[in-house]
Amino acid sequence: MEAIIKPSGQREGSRAEAVYYQVKRDIENFQLVAGDRFTENEICERLGVSRTPVRQALFRLQQEGHVEVLFRSGWRVLPFDFARYDALYDLRLLLETTAVRRICEGYSQVDRTQIDALSQIWLVPVAQRSSDTHQVAQWDEAFHCALVSAAGNAEMARVHRDVTERIRVIRRLDFTKQPRIDLTYEEHGKILRAVKAKRAEQAVMLLSAHIMTSQSEVRKITLHEMHMARLNGQADSR
């Protein structure tokens, strides 16, 4: 973890917020994986903050299902709750297919500039595709968020962002494998072409298959894969 720089007079609440996001990033980037144990003192020392904001941040992460407190022995990163992720993927599927249908049917609130911007990333020659797994993972998330945002329904986009936040940690394991990256480029390209051509049924079918494939891959994730993702991340940072 990186140390958090505390400006003089920084409020306790803002320090807790900073700790929360840092620990959550560590989980999302597999620096902390299921089963890892740590203490509040370790977090305090690494981030240079007192126990109060650390405890506030950890309780927030506990409420979200990321960690649990152990009696007299600190904290532990929780295993993935696959039933919860299945429910979130079902909601994601509903939101994204509804958004794509709205875009194709030409609702007045649709922002097609966002769709055009996605083409600059996903509709490129094979030689211009990125092989940076971290970057492609970020682009993938942005692709799906942009599809919903472009539909012009702010409340739908807000709920989708919340779902995206909740599934981020498990989605990113999908991008530790080069074949999945290649397939993502191919599938995103097909979805975009259908959306740009306003072929609603085809776009919905392609998007549904794409999301369900990702959901299926999520179910295959093992603890070994998470540890390998952590080792690869450590190697990349050297």
Side-chain angles (χ1 to χ4, degrees), residues 43-58:
I43 302 295
C44 292
E45 292 172 7
R46 295 169 78 178
L47 302 186
V49 295
S50 66
R51 289 189 67 174
T52 297
V54 168
R55 185 166 295 174
Q56 290 172 346
L58 293 176

Side-chain angles (χ1 to χ4, degrees), residues 21 26 38 42 44 64 106 116 133-134 136 170 174 194 200 208 235:
Y21 282 112
D26 289 334
F38 58 91
E42 289 171 351
C44 292
E64 294 179 2
D116 294 336
T133 56
H134 184 69
V136 175
I170 199 139
D174 222 5
S208 298

Side-chain angles (χ1 to χ4, degrees), residues 89 93 205 207-217 219:
Y89 264 82
L93 180 64
M205 180 189 69
L207 181 59
S208 298
H210 174 67
I211 293 173
M212 287 189 285
T213 298
S214 177
Q215 185 174 8
S216 175
E217 289 298 315
R219 295 192 185 105

Side-chain angles (χ1 to χ4, degrees), residues 50-177:
S50 66
R51 289 189 67 174
T52 297
V54 168
R55 185 166 295 174
Q56 290 172 346
L58 293 176
F59 279 131
R60 182 176 171 186
L61 289 165
Q62 182 184 32
Q63 290 174 338
E64 294 179 2
H66 296 295
V67 299
E68 66 176 353
V69 63
L70 303 172
F71 184 62
R72 293 184 178 175
S73 56
W75 294 78
R76 183 180 69 167
V77 180
L78 283 170
F80 292 142
D81 181 348
F82 286 102
R84 174 172 169 263
Y85 284 117
D86 272 343
L88 289 169
Y89 264 82
D90 288 346
L91 178 55
R92 176 190 169 197
L93 180 64
L94 177 63
L95 291 168
E96 293 189 26
T97 54
T98 300
V100 160
R101 195 176 293 279
R102 285 172 62 91
I103 294 168
C104 291
E105 291 175 357
Y107 277 65
S108 60
Q109 303 96 328
V110 167
D111 179 5
R112 298 196 69 85
T113 61
Q114 294 191 57
I115 304 301
D116 294 336
L118 291 175
S119 302
Q120 305 304 311
I121 295 175
W122 299 104
L123 297 180
V124 296
V126 173
Q128 294 179 25
R129 293 177 179 177
S130 174
S131 59
D132 183 327
T133 56
H134 184 69
Q135 183 177 63
V136 175
Q138 291 180 323
W139 283 351
D140 171 72
E141 188 174 297
F143 171 85
H144 291 277
C145 287
L147 284 180
V148 179
S149 176
N153 185 315
E155 286 303 307
M156 186 186 296
R158 179 187 60 78
V159 173
H160 184 265
R161 283 194 299 271
D162 181 62
V163 172
T164 298
E165 180 83 10
R166 290 170 181 267
I167 66 174
R168 179 178 295 135
V169 62
I170 199 139
R171 250 171 104 173
R172 290 206 170 167
L173 277 173
D174 222 5
F175 292 93
T176 60
K177 308 168 190 174

Side-chain angles (χ1 to χ4, degrees), residues 8-20:
S8 59
Q10 187 179 27
R11 294 175 305 174
E12 203 75 19
S14 60
R15 288 198 292 270
E17 187 89 352
V19 173
Y20 164 82

